[in-house]
Amino acid sequence: QVQLVESGGGSVQAGGSLRLSCAASGHTYSSTYCMAWFRQAPGKAREGVAAIFSDGTTTYADSVKDRFTISQGNAWNTLYLQMQSLKPEDTAMYYCAADELCAPSSTVVVGDFGYWGRGTQVTVSS
């Protein structure tokens, strides 16, 4: 059973930076493994932020390109999201997700991921 635990959220002013981490356990790494970050603001649908695939390919939502960077470490036991130039519209609960049957894609879709963490809150003030 894959378990994902996010950390690193907090409150920052616009223009600031945060790094989110996701500790993963119980997974079986393979050539079809992938992990991702999603976010959900109050009253809005959960949206894909970024994903990383086993071949190293990364995908980003247009709204975060050139500001956010997704990476993995420690043999896929940790997922990171480095967030820079934060904006008030980045305020949301951020979720880590993983799946063991992925193919590189240009979009990050909720339905493609079967394992989820409980989230970490990011609040950006103007």
PDB file of all heavy atoms in Angstrom, residues 4 19-24 27 29-30 33-37 50-60 69-82 96-98:
ATOM      1  N   LEU A   4       1.594   8.374   1.162  1.00  0.00           N
ATOM      2  CA  LEU A   4       2.189   9.647   0.789  1.00  0.00           C
ATOM      3  C   LEU A   4       1.896  10.671   1.872  1.00  0.00           C
ATOM      4  O   LEU A   4       0.735  10.829   2.286  1.00  0.00           O
ATOM      5  CB  LEU A   4       1.604  10.129  -0.544  1.00  0.00           C
ATOM      6  CG  LEU A   4       1.714   9.160  -1.724  1.00  0.00           C
ATOM      7  CD1 LEU A   4       0.900   9.660  -2.905  1.00  0.00           C
ATOM      8  CD2 LEU A   4       3.152   8.946  -2.116  1.00  0.00           C
ATOM      9  N   ARG A  19       9.194  25.277  -0.520  1.00  0.00           N
ATOM     10  CA  ARG A  19       9.476  23.960  -1.091  1.00  0.00           C
ATOM     11  C   ARG A  19       8.625  22.927  -0.363  1.00  0.00           C
ATOM     12  O   ARG A  19       8.738  22.753   0.856  1.00  0.00           O
ATOM     13  CB  ARG A  19      10.946  23.583  -0.974  1.00  0.00           C
ATOM     14  CG  ARG A  19      11.247  22.291  -1.728  1.00  0.00           C
ATOM     15  CD  ARG A  19      12.716  21.942  -1.785  1.00  0.00           C
ATOM     16  NE  ARG A  19      13.152  21.223  -0.601  1.00  0.00           N
ATOM     17  CZ  ARG A  19      14.198  20.419  -0.575  1.00  0.00           C
ATOM     18  NH1 ARG A  19      14.907  20.217  -1.670  1.00  0.00           N
ATOM     19  NH2 ARG A  19      14.551  19.828   0.556  1.00  0.00           N
ATOM     20  N   LEU A  20       7.797  22.264  -1.115  1.00  0.00           N
ATOM     21  CA  LEU A  20       6.979  21.185  -0.584  1.00  0.00           C
ATOM     22  C   LEU A  20       7.711  19.863  -0.739  1.00  0.00           C
ATOM     23  O   LEU A  20       8.446  19.656  -1.708  1.00  0.00           O
ATOM     24  CB  LEU A  20       5.635  21.111  -1.316  1.00  0.00           C
ATOM     25  CG  LEU A  20       4.798  22.383  -1.348  1.00  0.00           C
ATOM     26  CD1 LEU A  20       3.467  22.100  -2.038  1.00  0.00           C
ATOM     27  CD2 LEU A  20       4.586  22.948   0.035  1.00  0.00           C
ATOM     28  N   SER A  21       7.494  18.975   0.218  1.00  0.00           N
ATOM     29  CA  SER A  21       8.057  17.626   0.153  1.00  0.00           C
ATOM     30  C   SER A  21       6.950  16.603   0.328  1.00  0.00           C
ATOM     31  O   SER A  21       5.930  16.883   0.969  1.00  0.00           O
ATOM     32  CB  SER A  21       9.100  17.424   1.255  1.00  0.00           C
ATOM     33  OG  SER A  21      10.176  18.318   1.121  1.00  0.00           O
ATOM     34  N   CYS A  22       7.162  15.450  -0.240  1.00  0.00           N
ATOM     35  CA  CYS A  22       6.225  14.344  -0.100  1.00  0.00           C
ATOM     36  C   CYS A  22       7.034  13.082   0.162  1.00  0.00           C
ATOM     37  O   CYS A  22       7.842  12.669  -0.675  1.00  0.00           O
ATOM     38  CB  CYS A  22       5.394  14.187  -1.365  1.00  0.00           C
ATOM     39  SG  CYS A  22       4.356  12.708  -1.407  1.00  0.00           S
ATOM     40  N   ALA A  23       6.829  12.484   1.333  1.00  0.00           N
ATOM     41  CA  ALA A  23       7.503  11.243   1.679  1.00  0.00           C
ATOM     42  C   ALA A  23       6.649  10.069   1.219  1.00  0.00           C
ATOM     43  O   ALA A  23       5.474   9.967   1.602  1.00  0.00           O
ATOM     44  CB  ALA A  23       7.741  11.175   3.180  1.00  0.00           C
ATOM     45  N   ALA A  24       7.233   9.211   0.412  1.00  0.00           N
ATOM     46  CA  ALA A  24       6.508   8.079  -0.147  1.00  0.00           C
ATOM     47  C   ALA A  24       7.034   6.772   0.422  1.00  0.00           C
ATOM     48  O   ALA A  24       8.241   6.607   0.600  1.00  0.00           O
ATOM     49  CB  ALA A  24       6.646   8.070  -1.666  1.00  0.00           C
ATOM     50  N   HIS A  27       5.704   1.840  -2.101  1.00  0.00           N
ATOM     51  CA  HIS A  27       5.541   1.752  -3.547  1.00  0.00           C
ATOM     52  C   HIS A  27       6.554   0.791  -4.151  1.00  0.00           C
ATOM     53  O   HIS A  27       7.567   0.487  -3.544  1.00  0.00           O
ATOM     54  CB  HIS A  27       5.707   3.130  -4.187  1.00  0.00           C
ATOM     55  CG  HIS A  27       7.057   3.743  -3.941  1.00  0.00           C
ATOM     56  ND1 HIS A  27       7.381   4.372  -2.764  1.00  0.00           N
ATOM     57  CD2 HIS A  27       8.161   3.799  -4.713  1.00  0.00           C
ATOM     58  CE1 HIS A  27       8.626   4.807  -2.823  1.00  0.00           C
ATOM     59  NE2 HIS A  27       9.126   4.467  -4.006  1.00  0.00           N
ATOM     60  N   TYR A  29       8.808   0.782  -7.375  1.00  0.00           N
ATOM     61  CA  TYR A  29       9.259   1.571  -8.515  1.00  0.00           C
ATOM     62  C   TYR A  29       9.381   0.687  -9.748  1.00  0.00           C
ATOM     63  O   TYR A  29       9.849  -0.438  -9.685  1.00  0.00           O
ATOM     64  CB  TYR A  29      10.604   2.237  -8.220  1.00  0.00           C
ATOM     65  CG  TYR A  29      11.142   2.945  -9.427  1.00  0.00           C
ATOM     66  CD1 TYR A  29      10.587   4.146  -9.844  1.00  0.00           C
ATOM     67  CD2 TYR A  29      12.158   2.385 -10.199  1.00  0.00           C
ATOM     68  CE1 TYR A  29      11.043   4.783 -10.982  1.00  0.00           C
ATOM     69  CE2 TYR A  29      12.626   3.010 -11.328  1.00  0.00           C
ATOM     70  CZ  TYR A  29      12.055   4.216 -11.711  1.00  0.00           C
ATOM     71  OH  TYR A  29      12.509   4.836 -12.847  1.00  0.00           O
ATOM     72  N   SER A  30       8.949   1.233 -10.877  1.00  0.00           N
ATOM     73  CA  SER A  30       9.079   0.530 -12.145  1.00  0.00           C
ATOM     74  C   SER A  30       9.186   1.564 -13.256  1.00  0.00           C
ATOM     75  O   SER A  30       9.102   2.769 -13.009  1.00  0.00           O
ATOM     76  CB  SER A  30       7.861  -0.365 -12.383  1.00  0.00           C
ATOM     77  OG  SER A  30       6.729   0.431 -12.673  1.00  0.00           O
ATOM     78  N   TYR A  33       6.245   4.093 -13.323  1.00  0.00           N
ATOM     79  CA  TYR A  33       5.893   4.822 -12.110  1.00  0.00           C
ATOM     80  C   TYR A  33       5.910   6.322 -12.358  1.00  0.00           C
ATOM     81  O   TYR A  33       6.688   6.812 -13.184  1.00  0.00           O
ATOM     82  CB  TYR A  33       6.875   4.461 -10.998  1.00  0.00           C
ATOM     83  CG  TYR A  33       6.481   4.938  -9.617  1.00  0.00           C
ATOM     84  CD1 TYR A  33       5.474   4.277  -8.925  1.00  0.00           C
ATOM     85  CD2 TYR A  33       7.119   6.009  -9.017  1.00  0.00           C
ATOM     86  CE1 TYR A  33       5.108   4.678  -7.651  1.00  0.00           C
ATOM     87  CE2 TYR A  33       6.756   6.416  -7.742  1.00  0.00           C
ATOM     88  CZ  TYR A  33       5.757   5.751  -7.065  1.00  0.00           C
ATOM     89  OH  TYR A  33       5.395   6.155  -5.819  1.00  0.00           O
ATOM     90  N   CYS A  34       5.059   7.057 -11.683  1.00  0.00           N
ATOM     91  CA  CYS A  34       5.081   8.505 -11.786  1.00  0.00           C
ATOM     92  C   CYS A  34       4.525   9.119 -10.513  1.00  0.00           C
ATOM     93  O   CYS A  34       3.826   8.462  -9.742  1.00  0.00           O
ATOM     94  CB  CYS A  34       4.281   8.991 -12.991  1.00  0.00           C
ATOM     95  SG  CYS A  34       2.511   8.715 -12.874  1.00  0.00           S
ATOM     96  N   MET A  35       4.851  10.382 -10.284  1.00  0.00           N
ATOM     97  CA  MET A  35       4.344  11.121  -9.143  1.00  0.00           C
ATOM     98  C   MET A  35       3.974  12.520  -9.602  1.00  0.00           C
ATOM     99  O   MET A  35       4.461  13.001 -10.633  1.00  0.00           O
ATOM    100  CB  MET A  35       5.383  11.183  -8.026  1.00  0.00           C
ATOM    101  CG  MET A  35       5.751   9.812  -7.465  1.00  0.00           C
ATOM    102  SD  MET A  35       6.862   9.895  -6.035  1.00  0.00           S
ATOM    103  CE  MET A  35       5.698  10.395  -4.748  1.00  0.00           C
ATOM    104  N   ALA A  36       3.130  13.168  -8.812  1.00  0.00           N
ATOM    105  CA  ALA A  36       2.641  14.475  -9.233  1.00  0.00           C
ATOM    106  C   ALA A  36       2.206  15.309  -8.043  1.00  0.00           C
ATOM    107  O   ALA A  36       2.017  14.795  -6.938  1.00  0.00           O
ATOM    108  CB  ALA A  36       1.467  14.314 -10.192  1.00  0.00           C
ATOM    109  N   TRP A  37       2.047  16.585  -8.304  1.00  0.00           N
ATOM    110  CA  TRP A  37       1.454  17.516  -7.348  1.00  0.00           C
ATOM    111  C   TRP A  37       0.166  18.067  -7.943  1.00  0.00           C
ATOM    112  O   TRP A  37       0.112  18.431  -9.125  1.00  0.00           O
ATOM    113  CB  TRP A  37       2.394  18.673  -7.057  1.00  0.00           C
ATOM    114  CG  TRP A  37       3.573  18.300  -6.228  1.00  0.00           C
ATOM    115  CD1 TRP A  37       4.836  18.012  -6.667  1.00  0.00           C
ATOM    116  CD2 TRP A  37       3.619  18.165  -4.797  1.00  0.00           C
ATOM    117  NE1 TRP A  37       5.650  17.705  -5.607  1.00  0.00           N
ATOM    118  CE2 TRP A  37       4.928  17.802  -4.437  1.00  0.00           C
ATOM    119  CE3 TRP A  37       2.672  18.328  -3.774  1.00  0.00           C
ATOM    120  CZ2 TRP A  37       5.324  17.588  -3.124  1.00  0.00           C
ATOM    121  CZ3 TRP A  37       3.058  18.122  -2.472  1.00  0.00           C
ATOM    122  CH2 TRP A  37       4.375  17.752  -2.149  1.00  0.00           C
ATOM    123  N   ALA A  50       1.974  19.685 -11.502  1.00  0.00           N
ATOM    124  CA  ALA A  50       3.179  19.177 -12.154  1.00  0.00           C
ATOM    125  C   ALA A  50       3.266  17.678 -11.953  1.00  0.00           C
ATOM    126  O   ALA A  50       2.746  17.154 -10.962  1.00  0.00           O
ATOM    127  CB  ALA A  50       4.425  19.847 -11.591  1.00  0.00           C
ATOM    128  N   ALA A  51       3.926  17.007 -12.882  1.00  0.00           N
ATOM    129  CA  ALA A  51       4.129  15.561 -12.778  1.00  0.00           C
ATOM    130  C   ALA A  51       5.532  15.219 -13.238  1.00  0.00           C
ATOM    131  O   ALA A  51       6.133  15.949 -14.040  1.00  0.00           O
ATOM    132  CB  ALA A  51       3.103  14.812 -13.613  1.00  0.00           C
ATOM    133  N   ILE A  52       6.047  14.098 -12.717  1.00  0.00           N
ATOM    134  CA  ILE A  52       7.346  13.599 -13.139  1.00  0.00           C
ATOM    135  C   ILE A  52       7.217  12.111 -13.400  1.00  0.00           C
ATOM    136  O   ILE A  52       6.592  11.379 -12.622  1.00  0.00           O
ATOM    137  CB  ILE A  52       8.436  13.921 -12.092  1.00  0.00           C
ATOM    138  CG1 ILE A  52       9.807  13.476 -12.592  1.00  0.00           C
ATOM    139  CG2 ILE A  52       8.106  13.339 -10.729  1.00  0.00           C
ATOM    140  CD1 ILE A  52      10.968  14.054 -11.761  1.00  0.00           C
ATOM    141  N   PHE A  53       7.794  11.674 -14.512  1.00  0.00           N
ATOM    142  CA  PHE A  53       7.654  10.296 -14.952  1.00  0.00           C
ATOM    143  C   PHE A  53       8.991   9.563 -14.803  1.00  0.00           C
ATOM    144  O   PHE A  53      10.031  10.188 -14.628  1.00  0.00           O
ATOM    145  CB  PHE A  53       7.162  10.263 -16.398  1.00  0.00           C
ATOM    146  CG  PHE A  53       5.830  10.953 -16.557  1.00  0.00           C
ATOM    147  CD1 PHE A  53       5.764  12.307 -16.840  1.00  0.00           C
ATOM    148  CD2 PHE A  53       4.646  10.248 -16.390  1.00  0.00           C
ATOM    149  CE1 PHE A  53       4.540  12.952 -16.958  1.00  0.00           C
ATOM    150  CE2 PHE A  53       3.420  10.879 -16.514  1.00  0.00           C
ATOM    151  CZ  PHE A  53       3.367  12.235 -16.796  1.00  0.00           C
ATOM    152  N   SER A  54       8.938   8.248 -14.897  1.00  0.00           N
ATOM    153  CA  SER A  54      10.119   7.435 -14.608  1.00  0.00           C
ATOM    154  C   SER A  54      11.273   7.703 -15.565  1.00  0.00           C
ATOM    155  O   SER A  54      12.434   7.483 -15.214  1.00  0.00           O
ATOM    156  CB  SER A  54       9.759   5.949 -14.645  1.00  0.00           C
ATOM    157  OG  SER A  54       9.270   5.605 -15.921  1.00  0.00           O
ATOM    158  N   ASP A  55      10.988   8.222 -16.766  1.00  0.00           N
ATOM    159  CA  ASP A  55      12.061   8.529 -17.717  1.00  0.00           C
ATOM    160  C   ASP A  55      12.637   9.924 -17.495  1.00  0.00           C
ATOM    161  O   ASP A  55      13.478  10.369 -18.258  1.00  0.00           O
ATOM    162  CB  ASP A  55      11.566   8.385 -19.155  1.00  0.00           C
ATOM    163  CG  ASP A  55      10.481   9.390 -19.519  1.00  0.00           C
ATOM    164  OD1 ASP A  55      10.023  10.134 -18.618  1.00  0.00           O
ATOM    165  OD2 ASP A  55      10.072   9.425 -20.683  1.00  0.00           O
ATOM    166  N   GLY A  56      12.170  10.600 -16.447  1.00  0.00           N
ATOM    167  CA  GLY A  56      12.663  11.935 -16.131  1.00  0.00           C
ATOM    168  C   GLY A  56      11.859  13.058 -16.743  1.00  0.00           C
ATOM    169  O   GLY A  56      12.080  14.229 -16.431  1.00  0.00           O
ATOM    170  N   THR A  57      10.909  12.719 -17.592  1.00  0.00           N
ATOM    171  CA  THR A  57      10.053  13.735 -18.205  1.00  0.00           C
ATOM    172  C   THR A  57       9.231  14.448 -17.134  1.00  0.00           C
ATOM    173  O   THR A  57       8.751  13.812 -16.190  1.00  0.00           O
ATOM    174  CB  THR A  57       9.103  13.072 -19.211  1.00  0.00           C
ATOM    175  OG1 THR A  57       9.873  12.385 -20.196  1.00  0.00           O
ATOM    176  CG2 THR A  57       8.218  14.099 -19.888  1.00  0.00           C
ATOM    177  N   THR A  58       9.086  15.757 -17.306  1.00  0.00           N
ATOM    178  CA  THR A  58       8.245  16.532 -16.400  1.00  0.00           C
ATOM    179  C   THR A  58       7.187  17.288 -17.194  1.00  0.00           C
ATOM    180  O   THR A  58       7.397  17.631 -18.358  1.00  0.00           O
ATOM    181  CB  THR A  58       9.063  17.531 -15.571  1.00  0.00           C
ATOM    182  OG1 THR A  58       9.799  18.379 -16.463  1.00  0.00           O
ATOM    183  CG2 THR A  58      10.037  16.816 -14.644  1.00  0.00           C
ATOM    184  N   THR A  59       6.070  17.520 -16.536  1.00  0.00           N
ATOM    185  CA  THR A  59       4.958  18.249 -17.140  1.00  0.00           C
ATOM    186  C   THR A  59       4.462  19.273 -16.132  1.00  0.00           C
ATOM    187  O   THR A  59       4.384  18.971 -14.936  1.00  0.00           O
ATOM    188  CB  THR A  59       3.811  17.276 -17.492  1.00  0.00           C
ATOM    189  OG1 THR A  59       4.259  16.388 -18.521  1.00  0.00           O
ATOM    190  CG2 THR A  59       2.589  18.032 -17.998  1.00  0.00           C
ATOM    191  N   TYR A  60       4.134  20.461 -16.622  1.00  0.00           N
ATOM    192  CA  TYR A  60       3.661  21.532 -15.751  1.00  0.00           C
ATOM    193  C   TYR A  60       2.376  22.148 -16.301  1.00  0.00           C
ATOM    194  O   TYR A  60       2.193  22.255 -17.518  1.00  0.00           O
ATOM    195  CB  TYR A  60       4.705  22.648 -15.638  1.00  0.00           C
ATOM    196  CG  TYR A  60       5.979  22.223 -14.969  1.00  0.00           C
ATOM    197  CD1 TYR A  60       7.057  21.732 -15.700  1.00  0.00           C
ATOM    198  CD2 TYR A  60       6.105  22.284 -13.576  1.00  0.00           C
ATOM    199  CE1 TYR A  60       8.221  21.331 -15.084  1.00  0.00           C
ATOM    200  CE2 TYR A  60       7.280  21.883 -12.949  1.00  0.00           C
ATOM    201  CZ  TYR A  60       8.321  21.411 -13.709  1.00  0.00           C
ATOM    202  OH  TYR A  60       9.475  20.999 -13.086  1.00  0.00           O
ATOM    203  N   THR A  69       9.159  23.931  -9.849  1.00  0.00           N
ATOM    204  CA  THR A  69      10.000  22.841 -10.338  1.00  0.00           C
ATOM    205  C   THR A  69       9.706  21.575  -9.537  1.00  0.00           C
ATOM    206  O   THR A  69       9.786  21.591  -8.302  1.00  0.00           O
ATOM    207  CB  THR A  69      11.492  23.186 -10.211  1.00  0.00           C
ATOM    208  OG1 THR A  69      11.763  24.396 -10.917  1.00  0.00           O
ATOM    209  CG2 THR A  69      12.342  22.060 -10.781  1.00  0.00           C
ATOM    210  N   ILE A  70       9.369  20.498 -10.244  1.00  0.00           N
ATOM    211  CA  ILE A  70       9.122  19.217  -9.606  1.00  0.00           C
ATOM    212  C   ILE A  70      10.376  18.361  -9.727  1.00  0.00           C
ATOM    213  O   ILE A  70      11.067  18.388 -10.754  1.00  0.00           O
ATOM    214  CB  ILE A  70       7.901  18.502 -10.239  1.00  0.00           C
ATOM    215  CG1 ILE A  70       7.512  17.266  -9.428  1.00  0.00           C
ATOM    216  CG2 ILE A  70       8.162  18.154 -11.696  1.00  0.00           C
ATOM    217  CD1 ILE A  70       6.195  16.627  -9.871  1.00  0.00           C
ATOM    218  N   SER A  71      10.676  17.617  -8.666  1.00  0.00           N
ATOM    219  CA  SER A  71      11.818  16.715  -8.710  1.00  0.00           C
ATOM    220  C   SER A  71      11.581  15.583  -7.732  1.00  0.00           C
ATOM    221  O   SER A  71      10.717  15.675  -6.857  1.00  0.00           O
ATOM    222  CB  SER A  71      13.116  17.463  -8.387  1.00  0.00           C
ATOM    223  OG  SER A  71      13.075  18.002  -7.074  1.00  0.00           O
ATOM    224  N   GLN A  72      12.366  14.535  -7.906  1.00  0.00           N
ATOM    225  CA  GLN A  72      12.258  13.405  -6.972  1.00  0.00           C
ATOM    226  C   GLN A  72      13.650  13.097  -6.436  1.00  0.00           C
ATOM    227  O   GLN A  72      14.662  13.393  -7.075  1.00  0.00           O
ATOM    228  CB  GLN A  72      11.629  12.183  -7.650  1.00  0.00           C
ATOM    229  CG  GLN A  72      12.413  11.635  -8.835  1.00  0.00           C
ATOM    230  CD  GLN A  72      13.518  10.674  -8.463  1.00  0.00           C
ATOM    231  OE1 GLN A  72      13.543  10.149  -7.344  1.00  0.00           O
ATOM    232  NE2 GLN A  72      14.447  10.443  -9.376  1.00  0.00           N
ATOM    233  N   GLY A  73      13.685  12.505  -5.284  1.00  0.00           N
ATOM    234  CA  GLY A  73      14.962  12.170  -4.682  1.00  0.00           C
ATOM    235  C   GLY A  73      14.894  10.866  -3.924  1.00  0.00           C
ATOM    236  O   GLY A  73      13.801  10.314  -3.694  1.00  0.00           O
ATOM    237  N   ASN A  74      16.066  10.379  -3.584  1.00  0.00           N
ATOM    238  CA  ASN A  74      16.155   9.188  -2.741  1.00  0.00           C
ATOM    239  C   ASN A  74      15.405   8.017  -3.362  1.00  0.00           C
ATOM    240  O   ASN A  74      14.624   7.357  -2.681  1.00  0.00           O
ATOM    241  CB  ASN A  74      15.612   9.508  -1.339  1.00  0.00           C
ATOM    242  CG  ASN A  74      15.991   8.457  -0.322  1.00  0.00           C
ATOM    243  OD1 ASN A  74      16.963   7.718  -0.501  1.00  0.00           O
ATOM    244  ND2 ASN A  74      15.221   8.364   0.745  1.00  0.00           N
ATOM    245  N   ALA A  75      15.665   7.793  -4.640  1.00  0.00           N
ATOM    246  CA  ALA A  75      15.063   6.668  -5.353  1.00  0.00           C
ATOM    247  C   ALA A  75      13.545   6.689  -5.279  1.00  0.00           C
ATOM    248  O   ALA A  75      12.901   5.673  -4.966  1.00  0.00           O
ATOM    249  CB  ALA A  75      15.609   5.344  -4.816  1.00  0.00           C
ATOM    250  N   TRP A  76      12.965   7.840  -5.535  1.00  0.00           N
ATOM    251  CA  TRP A  76      11.525   8.032  -5.589  1.00  0.00           C
ATOM    252  C   TRP A  76      10.861   7.905  -4.226  1.00  0.00           C
ATOM    253  O   TRP A  76       9.639   7.780  -4.143  1.00  0.00           O
ATOM    254  CB  TRP A  76      10.865   7.053  -6.573  1.00  0.00           C
ATOM    255  CG  TRP A  76      11.211   7.341  -7.990  1.00  0.00           C
ATOM    256  CD1 TRP A  76      12.297   6.867  -8.675  1.00  0.00           C
ATOM    257  CD2 TRP A  76      10.495   8.166  -8.906  1.00  0.00           C
ATOM    258  NE1 TRP A  76      12.296   7.361  -9.951  1.00  0.00           N
ATOM    259  CE2 TRP A  76      11.205   8.158 -10.136  1.00  0.00           C
ATOM    260  CE3 TRP A  76       9.330   8.921  -8.809  1.00  0.00           C
ATOM    261  CZ2 TRP A  76      10.781   8.869 -11.249  1.00  0.00           C
ATOM    262  CZ3 TRP A  76       8.901   9.626  -9.934  1.00  0.00           C
ATOM    263  CH2 TRP A  76       9.625   9.599 -11.138  1.00  0.00           C
ATOM    264  N   ASN A  77      11.640   7.978  -3.171  1.00  0.00           N
ATOM    265  CA  ASN A  77      11.030   7.984  -1.837  1.00  0.00           C
ATOM    266  C   ASN A  77      10.603   9.374  -1.402  1.00  0.00           C
ATOM    267  O   ASN A  77       9.897   9.534  -0.402  1.00  0.00           O
ATOM    268  CB  ASN A  77      11.999   7.399  -0.807  1.00  0.00           C
ATOM    269  CG  ASN A  77      12.146   5.903  -0.966  1.00  0.00           C
ATOM    270  OD1 ASN A  77      11.183   5.208  -1.277  1.00  0.00           O
ATOM    271  ND2 ASN A  77      13.358   5.388  -0.763  1.00  0.00           N
ATOM    272  N   THR A  78      11.046  10.380  -2.138  1.00  0.00           N
ATOM    273  CA  THR A  78      10.672  11.757  -1.815  1.00  0.00           C
ATOM    274  C   THR A  78      10.368  12.512  -3.090  1.00  0.00           C
ATOM    275  O   THR A  78      11.100  12.409  -4.076  1.00  0.00           O
ATOM    276  CB  THR A  78      11.796  12.478  -1.056  1.00  0.00           C
ATOM    277  OG1 THR A  78      12.221  11.687   0.051  1.00  0.00           O
ATOM    278  CG2 THR A  78      11.294  13.823  -0.535  1.00  0.00           C
ATOM    279  N   LEU A  79       9.299  13.260  -3.064  1.00  0.00           N
ATOM    280  CA  LEU A  79       8.923  14.129  -4.180  1.00  0.00           C
ATOM    281  C   LEU A  79       8.969  15.563  -3.675  1.00  0.00           C
ATOM    282  O   LEU A  79       8.560  15.843  -2.550  1.00  0.00           O
ATOM    283  CB  LEU A  79       7.508  13.804  -4.660  1.00  0.00           C
ATOM    284  CG  LEU A  79       6.997  14.615  -5.839  1.00  0.00           C
ATOM    285  CD1 LEU A  79       7.728  14.203  -7.118  1.00  0.00           C
ATOM    286  CD2 LEU A  79       5.488  14.421  -6.006  1.00  0.00           C
ATOM    287  N   TYR A  80       9.476  16.453  -4.518  1.00  0.00           N
ATOM    288  CA  TYR A  80       9.593  17.858  -4.141  1.00  0.00           C
ATOM    289  C   TYR A  80       8.836  18.745  -5.123  1.00  0.00           C
ATOM    290  O   TYR A  80       8.669  18.405  -6.289  1.00  0.00           O
ATOM    291  CB  TYR A  80      11.050  18.300  -4.130  1.00  0.00           C
ATOM    292  CG  TYR A  80      11.940  17.522  -3.209  1.00  0.00           C
ATOM    293  CD1 TYR A  80      12.792  16.523  -3.693  1.00  0.00           C
ATOM    294  CD2 TYR A  80      11.953  17.782  -1.838  1.00  0.00           C
ATOM    295  CE1 TYR A  80      13.614  15.812  -2.843  1.00  0.00           C
ATOM    296  CE2 TYR A  80      12.770  17.062  -0.981  1.00  0.00           C
ATOM    297  CZ  TYR A  80      13.600  16.085  -1.488  1.00  0.00           C
ATOM    298  OH  TYR A  80      14.403  15.377  -0.644  1.00  0.00           O
ATOM    299  N   LEU A  81       8.430  19.905  -4.627  1.00  0.00           N
ATOM    300  CA  LEU A  81       7.910  20.949  -5.494  1.00  0.00           C
ATOM    301  C   LEU A  81       8.503  22.263  -5.008  1.00  0.00           C
ATOM    302  O   LEU A  81       8.134  22.766  -3.942  1.00  0.00           O
ATOM    303  CB  LEU A  81       6.391  21.016  -5.460  1.00  0.00           C
ATOM    304  CG  LEU A  81       5.778  22.030  -6.440  1.00  0.00           C
ATOM    305  CD1 LEU A  81       5.997  21.559  -7.887  1.00  0.00           C
ATOM    306  CD2 LEU A  81       4.277  22.221  -6.168  1.00  0.00           C
ATOM    307  N   GLN A  82       9.458  22.782  -5.764  1.00  0.00           N
ATOM    308  CA  GLN A  82      10.045  24.078  -5.453  1.00  0.00           C
ATOM    309  C   GLN A  82       9.174  25.144  -6.105  1.00  0.00           C
ATOM    310  O   GLN A  82       8.994  25.139  -7.329  1.00  0.00           O
ATOM    311  CB  GLN A  82      11.472  24.157  -5.979  1.00  0.00           C
ATOM    312  CG  GLN A  82      12.153  25.482  -5.721  1.00  0.00           C
ATOM    313  CD  GLN A  82      12.417  25.736  -4.261  1.00  0.00           C
ATOM    314  OE1 GLN A  82      12.916  24.880  -3.540  1.00  0.00           O
ATOM    315  NE2 GLN A  82      12.069  26.940  -3.793  1.00  0.00           N
ATOM    316  N   CYS A  96       0.062  15.497  -2.903  1.00  0.00           N
ATOM    317  CA  CYS A  96       0.989  14.620  -3.602  1.00  0.00           C
ATOM    318  C   CYS A  96       0.217  13.408  -4.102  1.00  0.00           C
ATOM    319  O   CYS A  96      -0.697  12.931  -3.419  1.00  0.00           O
ATOM    320  CB  CYS A  96       2.069  14.199  -2.605  1.00  0.00           C
ATOM    321  SG  CYS A  96       3.244  12.973  -3.187  1.00  0.00           S
ATOM    322  N   ALA A  97       0.551  12.934  -5.287  1.00  0.00           N
ATOM    323  CA  ALA A  97      -0.121  11.775  -5.853  1.00  0.00           C
ATOM    324  C   ALA A  97       0.895  10.874  -6.549  1.00  0.00           C
ATOM    325  O   ALA A  97       1.961  11.339  -6.970  1.00  0.00           O
ATOM    326  CB  ALA A  97      -1.195  12.204  -6.838  1.00  0.00           C
ATOM    327  N   ALA A  98       0.549   9.614  -6.665  1.00  0.00           N
ATOM    328  CA  ALA A  98       1.435   8.657  -7.331  1.00  0.00           C
ATOM    329  C   ALA A  98       0.611   7.584  -8.022  1.00  0.00           C
ATOM    330  O   ALA A  98      -0.557   7.365  -7.692  1.00  0.00           O
ATOM    331  CB  ALA A  98       2.390   8.013  -6.324  1.00  0.00           C
TER     332      ALA A  98
END
